[in-house]
Amino acid sequence: MLALVLLVPIVALVITFVGNPEIPAGRELPGGARLVKDGYVALFVLPAGDGNVALIDCGNDPEGKAVLSELERRKIGVESVKAIFLTHGHRDHTQGCHLFPQAQVFALESERELVEGRSNGKGPLTRLMPAKDVGVRVTRPMIDGETVAIGSLLVTVYAVPGHTQGSAAFLAGGVLYLGDSADAKKNGAMTGSKWLFSDDTVENRMSLLDLAGRLQPRADEVKAIAFAHTGVLDGFGPLRAYAATK
Ligand SMILES: [Zn+2]
């Protein structure tokens, strides 16, 4: 019986991860941004002018080895990280945030409790993981559709509830950052969020369809779509194609 209890989640995890593209460490993105591979998750460093940067998520490593080495490569220190934009509050995206105490932390207001460890996920697996405060505080709650400037960098946020209640997509520097709200497949297609870790995959799909419609007027601006666990796809096409599938 114990073997079965262990086997079910292992099989579910294997199904979830087999067939995923590799995370391309160091992949350059439009606008001078770069993917930083932190184990099985990615975060992104975006230039904001004057030697400053913003981050999309902070990774899973509390010591931040990968992100700190990227800052070193850019010859800047932690004080140059002016802002952190959180796609959502799952811990593998927030554990490095404490390394940048001077950065403003942006997230949708609806995600604040999860980010700050006052509630846990509602997904099949995430609900089993107790809420934990990893020391992150949302210093600048965002509202759906707003655009903020960090130096020369403009970041627009779109609410995409489903993976978590307050999941956010960010459009910045020609890249659409989707966090865990979607994934790339090896064949170059885009797919919705992973059931095992998501609060509500039906809501996630509705949010992605809505996002595709909202972004249609800005489709030419989207040069790439970046995912937290499955790398990067080129252009707006993968989101448009996903939205067109039944
Ligand atoms: Zn997640």
Side-chain angles (χ1 to χ4, degrees):
M1 185 59 200
L2 181 64
L4 190 67
V5 167
L6 288 172
L7 195 62
V8 169
I10 289 169
V11 168
L13 281 170
V14 167
I15 291 170
T16 301
F17 287 108
V18 166
N20 282 346
E22 294 236 332
I23 298 174
R27 160 97 188 238
E28 302 282 351
L29 292 163
R34 202 155 193 260
L35 181 154
V36 176
K37 183 175 185 286
D38 178 8
Y40 63 89
V41 67
L43 63 117
F44 301 87
V45 178
L46 285 65
D50 297 328
N52 295 320
V53 296
L55 303 182
I56 305 286
D57 293 340
C58 325
N60 188 43
D61 175 11
E63 293 177 28
K65 287 194 195 75
V67 64
L68 293 179
S69 92
E70 169 62 12
L71 297 185
E72 205 172 300
R73 194 190 68 85
R74 290 177 181 260
K75 300 187 167 50
I76 55 176
V78 292
E79 71 287 347
S80 297
V81 177
K82 299 299 180 192
I84 295 166
F85 291 87
L86 293 175
T87 59
H88 66 297
H90 284 158
R91 223 177 289 162
D92 52 334
H93 301 254
T94 64
Q95 294 212 100
C97 295
H98 71 98
L99 298 163
F100 312 103
Q102 288 146 321
Q104 283 209 75
V105 179
F106 293 78
L108 285 171
E109 174 65 38
S110 45
E111 193 70 349
R112 189 196 278 252
E113 283 200 0
L114 191 64
V115 169
E116 299 185 354
R118 284 181 281 117
S119 72
N120 62 346
K122 303 288 180 281
L125 194 64
T126 50
R127 75 176 61 215
L128 304 177
M129 300 157 74
K132 185 184 171 195
D133 182 358
V134 295
V136 195
R137 296 293 174 268
V138 178
T139 57
R140 173 60 166 80
M142 301 186 88
I143 54 167
D144 184 24
E146 79 168 307
T147 297
V148 298
I150 306 298
S152 60
L153 180 73
L154 295 178
V155 182
T156 306
V157 61
Y158 298 92
V160 285
H163 177 65
T164 60
Q165 274 313 297
S167 277
F170 299 109
L171 179 58
V175 182
L176 179 64
Y177 297 91
L178 288 183
D180 287 0
S181 290
D183 275 303
K185 296 202 281 191
K186 274 184 178 160
N187 65 4
M190 193 191 104
T191 185
S193 68
K194 289 177 167 55
W195 169 79
L196 201 53
F197 305 100
S198 296
D199 289 7
D200 186 336
T201 50
V202 175
E203 187 182 28
N204 164 257
R205 177 165 169 77
M206 296 309 294
S207 291
L208 293 174
L209 265 53
D210 183 54
L211 180 66
R214 293 175 76 186
L215 282 173
Q216 185 59 46
R218 300 182 69 178
D220 288 350
E221 274 179 62
V222 181
K223 306 296 183 206
I225 304 177
F227 310 92
H229 297 281
T230 48
V232 179
L233 294 174
D234 290 328
F236 183 68
L239 176 57
R240 182 185 284 133
Y242 171 82
T245 56
K246 293 267 183 322

